[in-house]
Coordinates of all heavy atoms in Angstrom, one line a residue:
M1 N 101.4 44.6 104.8 CA 100.6 45.1 105.8 C 99.7 46.3 105.3 O 100.2 47.2 104.7 CB 101.3 45.5 107.2 CG 100.4 45.9 108.2 SD 101.4 46.3 109.7 CE 102.0 48.0 109.4
V2 N 98.4 46.3 105.6 CA 97.6 47.5 105.2 C 97.0 48.2 106.6 O 96.6 47.6 107.5 CB 96.3 47.0 104.5 CG1 95.4 48.2 104.2 CG2 96.8 46.3 103.2
H3 N 97.3 49.4 106.5 CA 97.0 50.4 107.6 C 95.6 51.2 107.1 O 95.8 52.1 106.4 CB 98.1 51.2 108.1 CG 97.8 52.0 109.2 ND1 97.3 53.4 109.1 CD2 97.6 51.7 110.6 CE1 97.1 53.8 110.5 NE2 97.3 52.8 111.3
A4 N 94.5 50.8 107.6 CA 93.2 51.4 107.1 C 92.5 52.3 108.2 O 91.5 52.7 107.8 CB 92.4 50.3 106.6
V5 N 93.1 52.6 109.2 CA 92.5 53.4 110.3 C 92.6 54.9 109.9 O 93.4 55.2 109.1 CB 93.0 53.1 111.8 CG1 92.7 51.6 112.2 CG2 94.4 53.4 111.8
G6 N 91.9 55.7 110.6 CA 92.0 57.2 110.3 C 91.1 57.5 109.1 O 91.5 58.5 108.4
R7 N 90.0 56.8 108.9 CA 89.1 57.1 107.8 C 88.5 58.4 107.9 O 88.2 59.0 109.1 CB 88.0 56.2 107.6 CG 88.5 54.7 107.3 CD 87.5 53.8 107.2 NE 86.6 53.7 108.3 CZ 85.5 52.9 108.6 NH1 85.0 52.3 107.5 NH2 84.9 52.9 109.8
I8 N 88.3 59.2 106.9 CA 87.7 60.5 106.9 C 86.2 60.4 106.9 O 85.6 59.6 106.0 CB 88.0 61.4 105.6 CG1 89.5 61.5 105.6 CG2 87.2 62.7 105.6 CD1 90.1 62.3 106.5
S9 N 85.5 60.9 107.8 CA 84.0 60.8 107.9 C 83.3 61.4 106.8 O 83.8 62.4 106.2 CB 83.5 61.5 109.3 OG 84.0 60.8 110.3
D10 N 82.2 60.8 106.3 CA 81.5 61.3 105.1 C 80.5 62.4 105.5 O 79.3 62.2 105.9 CB 80.7 60.2 104.5 CG 80.0 60.6 103.3 OD1 80.3 61.7 102.7 OD2 79.1 59.8 102.7
L11 N 81.0 63.6 105.7 CA 80.2 64.7 106.2 C 79.6 65.7 105.1 O 78.7 66.4 105.5 CB 81.0 65.6 107.1 CG 81.6 64.8 108.4 CD1 82.6 65.7 109.1 CD2 80.6 64.2 109.4
E12 N 80.0 65.4 103.9 CA 79.4 66.4 102.9 C 77.9 66.3 102.8 O 77.4 67.4 102.6 CB 80.1 66.0 101.6 CG 81.5 66.3 101.5 CD 82.0 67.6 102.1 OE1 81.3 68.6 101.8 OE2 83.0 67.8 102.9
P13 N 77.3 65.2 102.9 CA 75.7 65.3 102.7 C 75.0 66.0 103.8 O 73.9 66.3 103.7 CB 75.3 63.8 102.8 CG 76.6 63.0 102.5 CD 77.7 63.8 103.0
L14 N 75.7 66.2 104.9 CA 75.1 67.1 106.0 C 75.0 68.6 105.8 O 74.4 69.2 106.6 CB 75.9 66.6 107.3 CG 75.9 65.2 107.7 CD1 76.6 65.2 109.1 CD2 74.5 64.7 107.8
D15 N 75.8 69.0 104.8 CA 75.8 70.5 104.5 C 76.1 71.3 105.7 O 75.4 72.4 106.1 CB 74.4 71.0 103.9 CG 74.2 70.5 102.4 OD1 75.3 70.4 101.8 OD2 73.0 70.4 102.0
L16 N 77.2 70.9 106.3 CA 77.6 71.6 107.6 C 77.9 73.1 107.5 O 77.7 73.9 108.3 CB 78.7 70.8 108.3 CG 78.4 69.5 108.8 CD1 79.8 68.8 109.3 CD2 77.4 69.5 109.9
D17 N 78.3 73.4 106.2 CA 78.7 74.8 105.9 C 77.5 75.7 106.0 O 77.5 76.8 106.4 CB 79.3 74.9 104.6 CG 80.8 74.3 104.5 OD1 81.3 74.1 105.5 OD2 81.2 74.0 103.4
V18 N 76.3 75.0 105.5 CA 75.0 75.8 105.6 C 74.7 76.2 107.0 O 74.1 77.2 107.3 CB 74.0 75.0 104.9 CG1 72.7 75.8 105.0 CG2 74.3 74.7 103.5
A19 N 75.0 75.2 108.0 CA 74.7 75.4 109.3 C 75.9 76.2 110.1 O 75.7 76.5 111.3 CB 74.5 74.1 109.9
G20 N 76.8 76.7 109.3 CA 77.8 77.4 109.9 C 78.9 76.6 110.9 O 79.4 77.1 111.8
V21 N 78.9 75.4 110.6 CA 79.7 74.4 111.4 C 81.2 74.5 110.8 O 81.3 73.9 109.8 CB 79.2 73.0 111.5 CG1 79.9 72.2 112.3 CG2 77.6 73.1 112.0
E22 N 82.0 75.0 111.6 CA 83.4 75.1 111.2 C 84.2 73.7 111.3 O 84.0 72.9 112.2 CB 84.3 76.1 111.9 CG 83.8 77.6 111.7 CD 84.4 78.5 112.6 OE1 85.6 78.2 113.0 OE2 84.1 79.6 112.6
R23 N 85.0 73.5 110.3 CA 85.9 72.3 110.3 C 87.4 72.7 110.1 O 87.6 73.7 109.5 CB 85.4 71.3 109.3 CG 84.1 70.7 109.5 CD 83.7 69.6 108.6 NE 83.2 70.1 107.4 CZ 83.0 69.4 106.2 NH1 83.3 68.1 106.3 NH2 82.5 69.8 105.3
D24 N 88.2 71.8 110.6 CA 89.6 72.2 110.5 C 90.1 71.7 109.1 O 89.4 71.2 108.2 CB 90.3 71.5 111.6 CG 90.4 70.0 111.6 OD1 90.0 69.4 110.6 OD2 90.9 69.3 112.6
E25 N 91.4 71.7 108.9 CA 92.1 71.4 107.6 C 91.8 70.0 107.2 O 92.0 69.5 106.1 CB 93.6 71.8 107.7 CG 94.4 71.1 108.5 CD 94.3 71.6 110.1 OE1 93.7 72.6 110.2 OE2 94.9 70.9 110.9
R26 N 91.5 69.1 108.2 CA 91.4 67.6 108.0 C 89.9 67.3 108.0 O 89.5 66.1 108.0 CB 92.1 66.8 109.0 CG 93.6 67.1 109.0 CD 94.3 66.1 109.9 NE 94.1 64.7 109.7 CZ 94.1 63.8 110.6 NH1 94.2 64.0 111.7 NH2 93.8 62.4 110.2
E27 N 89.1 68.4 107.9 CA 87.5 68.2 107.8 C 86.9 67.9 109.0 O 85.8 67.4 109.1 CB 87.2 67.3 106.6 CG 87.7 67.7 105.2 CD 87.3 69.1 104.8 OE1 86.2 69.4 105.0 OE2 88.1 69.9 104.2
H28 N 87.7 67.7 110.1 CA 87.0 67.4 111.3 C 86.3 68.6 112.0 O 86.8 69.7 111.8 CB 88.1 66.9 112.4 CG 88.8 65.7 112.0 ND1 90.1 65.5 112.0 CD2 88.2 64.5 111.6 CE1 90.5 64.3 111.6 NE2 89.3 63.7 111.3
L29 N 85.2 68.4 112.7 CA 84.5 69.5 113.4 C 85.4 70.1 114.4 O 85.9 69.4 115.3 CB 83.1 68.9 113.9 CG 82.0 69.0 113.0 CD1 82.1 67.8 112.0 CD2 80.7 68.8 113.7
K30 N 85.4 71.4 114.5 CA 86.2 72.0 115.6 C 85.1 72.1 116.6 O 84.1 72.6 116.6 CB 86.4 73.5 115.1 CG 87.5 73.6 113.9 CD 87.7 75.1 113.6 CE 88.8 75.3 112.5 NZ 89.1 76.7 112.2
L31 N 85.7 71.7 117.9 CA 84.7 71.5 119.1 C 85.4 72.2 120.3 O 86.6 72.3 120.3 CB 84.6 70.1 119.4 CG 84.1 69.2 118.2 CD1 84.1 67.7 118.6 CD2 82.5 69.6 117.8
N32 N 84.5 72.5 121.3 CA 85.1 72.9 122.5 C 85.3 71.8 123.5 O 85.0 70.6 123.1 CB 84.3 74.1 123.1 CG 82.8 73.6 123.4 OD1 82.6 72.5 123.6 ND2 81.8 74.5 123.6
G33 N 85.5 71.9 124.8 CA 85.8 70.9 125.7 C 84.5 70.1 126.0 O 84.7 69.1 126.6
F34 N 83.4 70.5 125.5 CA 82.2 69.7 125.7 C 81.7 69.1 124.5 O 80.5 68.7 124.4 CB 81.0 70.7 126.3 CG 81.3 71.3 127.5 CD1 81.8 72.7 127.6 CD2 81.3 70.7 128.7 CE1 82.2 73.2 128.8 CE2 81.6 71.2 129.9 CZ 82.1 72.6 130.0
L35 N 82.6 68.8 123.5 CA 82.3 68.3 122.2 C 81.3 69.1 121.3 O 80.6 68.5 120.6 CB 82.0 66.8 122.4 CG 83.0 65.9 123.1 CD1 82.4 64.5 123.1 CD2 84.3 66.0 122.5
Q36 N 81.1 70.3 121.7 CA 80.2 71.2 121.1 C 81.0 72.0 119.9 O 82.0 72.4 120.2 CB 79.7 72.1 122.2 CG 78.5 73.1 121.7 CD 78.1 74.0 122.8 OE1 78.8 74.3 123.8 NE2 76.9 74.3 122.9
S37 N 80.2 72.2 118.9 CA 80.8 72.9 117.9 C 81.2 74.4 118.3 O 80.3 75.0 119.0 CB 79.7 73.1 116.5 OG 80.2 74.1 115.7
V38 N 82.2 74.8 117.9 CA 82.7 76.2 118.4 C 81.8 77.3 117.7 O 81.9 78.5 118.0 CB 84.2 76.4 118.1 CG1 85.0 75.5 119.0 CG2 84.6 76.3 116.6
S39 N 81.3 77.0 116.5 CA 80.6 77.9 115.7 C 79.0 77.7 115.6 O 78.4 78.7 115.2 CB 81.2 78.0 114.3 OG 81.0 76.6 113.7
N40 N 78.6 76.7 116.1 CA 77.1 76.3 116.1 C 76.8 75.6 117.4 O 76.9 74.4 117.4 CB 76.6 75.7 115.0 CG 75.1 75.6 114.8 OD1 74.4 75.3 115.9 ND2 74.5 75.4 113.7
P41 N 76.3 76.2 118.5 CA 76.2 75.6 119.7 C 75.1 74.5 119.7 O 75.0 73.8 120.7 CB 75.7 76.6 120.6 CG 75.2 77.8 119.8 CD 75.9 77.7 118.5
A42 N 74.2 74.3 118.7 CA 73.3 73.3 118.6 C 74.0 72.1 118.2 O 73.2 70.9 118.0 CB 72.1 73.8 117.7
V43 N 75.3 72.0 117.7 CA 75.8 70.8 117.1 C 76.9 70.3 118.0 O 77.7 71.0 118.6 CB 76.3 71.2 115.8 CG1 77.1 70.0 115.1 CG2 75.3 71.7 114.8
Y44 N 76.8 69.0 118.3 CA 77.8 68.3 119.0 C 78.5 67.1 118.1 O 77.7 66.7 117.2 CB 77.3 67.7 120.3 CG 76.9 68.6 121.4 CD1 75.7 69.2 121.2 CD2 77.5 68.8 122.4 CE1 75.3 70.2 122.1 CE2 77.3 69.7 123.3 CZ 76.1 70.5 123.3 OH 75.7 71.3 124.1
A45 N 79.7 66.7 118.4 CA 80.3 65.6 117.5 C 81.2 64.8 118.4 O 81.8 65.3 119.5 CB 81.0 66.2 116.3
A46 N 81.4 63.5 118.0 CA 82.4 62.7 118.7 C 82.7 61.6 117.8 O 82.2 61.5 116.6 CB 81.7 61.9 120.0
G47 N 83.9 60.9 118.0 CA 84.3 59.9 117.2 C 85.1 60.4 116.0 O 85.8 61.5 116.1
N48 N 85.1 59.9 114.9 CA 85.9 60.1 113.7 C 85.7 61.5 113.3 O 86.5 62.1 112.6 CB 85.7 59.1 112.7 CG 86.4 57.7 112.9 OD1 87.0 57.5 113.9 ND2 86.3 56.8 112.0
A49 N 84.5 62.0 113.4 CA 84.1 63.4 112.8 C 84.7 64.4 113.6 O 84.6 65.7 113.2 CB 82.5 63.6 112.7
A50 N 85.2 64.2 114.9 CA 85.5 65.2 115.9 C 87.0 65.6 115.8 O 87.9 64.6 115.6 CB 85.2 64.8 117.3
A51 N 87.4 66.8 116.0 CA 88.8 67.3 115.9 C 89.5 67.0 117.4 O 90.6 67.1 117.3 CB 88.8 68.8 115.6
V52 N 88.6 66.7 118.4 CA 89.1 66.6 119.6 C 88.8 65.1 120.1 O 87.7 64.5 119.6 CB 88.8 67.5 120.7 CG1 89.3 68.8 120.4 CG2 87.3 67.5 120.9
G53 N 89.5 64.4 120.9 CA 89.2 63.1 121.4 C 89.7 62.0 120.4 O 89.9 62.2 119.3
P54 N 89.8 60.8 121.0 CA 90.4 59.7 120.3 C 89.2 59.1 119.3 O 88.3 59.1 119.4 CB 90.7 58.7 121.3 CG 89.8 58.9 122.4 CD 89.5 60.4 122.4
A55 N 89.8 58.7 118.0 CA 89.0 58.1 117.1 C 89.0 56.6 117.4 O 89.7 55.7 116.6 CB 89.6 58.4 115.7
L56 N 88.2 56.1 118.5 CA 88.2 54.7 118.8 C 86.8 54.3 119.0 O 85.9 55.1 119.1 CB 88.9 54.6 120.1 CG 90.5 54.9 120.2 CD1 91.0 54.9 121.6 CD2 91.2 53.9 119.3
T57 N 86.5 53.0 118.8 CA 85.4 52.4 118.9 C 84.6 52.8 120.2 O 83.4 53.0 120.3 CB 85.4 50.8 118.8 OG1 85.9 50.5 117.5 CG2 84.0 50.2 118.9
S58 N 85.4 52.8 121.3 CA 84.8 53.2 122.6 C 84.3 54.5 122.8 O 83.3 54.6 123.5 CB 86.0 53.0 123.7 OG 87.0 53.7 123.3
V59 N 84.6 55.4 122.0 CA 84.1 56.8 121.9 C 82.7 56.7 121.4 O 81.7 57.3 121.9 CB 85.0 57.8 121.1 CG1 84.4 59.1 121.0 CG2 86.4 57.8 121.7
Ligands
FAD1 C1 90.5 48.9 109.9 C2 90.1 49.7 111.0 C3 90.5 49.2 112.4 C4 90.1 49.7 113.4 N1 90.5 49.2 114.7 C5 90.2 49.7 115.8 C6 90.4 49.1 117.1 O1 91.0 47.9 117.2 N2 89.9 49.6 118.1 C7 89.3 50.8 118.2 O2 88.8 51.4 119.3 N3 89.0 51.4 117.0 C8 89.4 51.0 115.9 N4 89.2 51.5 114.8 C9 88.5 52.9 114.7 C10 86.9 52.9 114.9 O3 86.4 51.9 114.1 C11 86.5 54.3 114.7 O4 87.1 55.2 115.3 C12 85.1 54.3 115.2 O5 84.3 53.4 114.4 C13 84.5 55.7 114.8 O6 82.9 55.7 115.2 P1 82.1 56.8 114.6 O7 80.8 56.5 115.2 O8 82.7 58.1 114.8 O9 82.1 56.6 113.1 P2 81.6 55.1 112.3 O10 81.8 53.9 113.2 O11 82.2 55.2 110.9 O12 80.0 55.4 112.2 C14 79.5 56.3 111.3 C15 78.0 55.7 110.9 O13 77.4 56.8 110.2 C16 76.8 56.1 109.1 N5 76.5 57.2 108.1 C17 77.3 57.8 107.3 N6 76.7 58.7 106.6 C18 75.4 58.7 106.9 C19 74.1 59.4 106.5 N7 74.3 60.3 105.5 N8 73.1 59.0 107.0 C20 73.0 58.2 108.0 N9 74.0 57.5 108.5 C21 75.2 57.7 107.9 C22 77.7 55.2 108.6 O14 77.1 54.1 107.9 C23 78.1 54.6 110.0 O15 77.3 53.5 110.4 C24 89.4 51.1 113.4 C25 89.0 51.5 112.2 C26 89.4 50.9 111.1 C27 89.0 51.3 109.7

């Protein structure tokens, strides 16, 4: 059996550090309850890139 879920999003090309977008130890964006970056209010995230919420297709 192969378990392939939980892929890491390819965020490096986005240069999020330049925009001051903080990420956690697993490289997910740190977000508040509105899916808004805690360090750059112009940035929102959902799905596999987000530190909160489920990593599911329905998201
Ligand atoms: C094997 C497997 C089975 C799964 N089974 C289920 C399941 O049964 N049910 C379920 O709900 N979820 C399942 N998932 C999880 C689900 O697929 C993900 O959680 C979901 O697809 C995440 O959506 P996303 O939009 O965050 O990322 P993605 O679906 O990965 O979308 C990211 C998109 O960004 C694009 N992209 C990347 N870099 C760039 C760039 N530089 N410029 C432009 N576009 C870019 C990619 O090509 C991609 O289209 C499964 C995942 C895997 C791997």
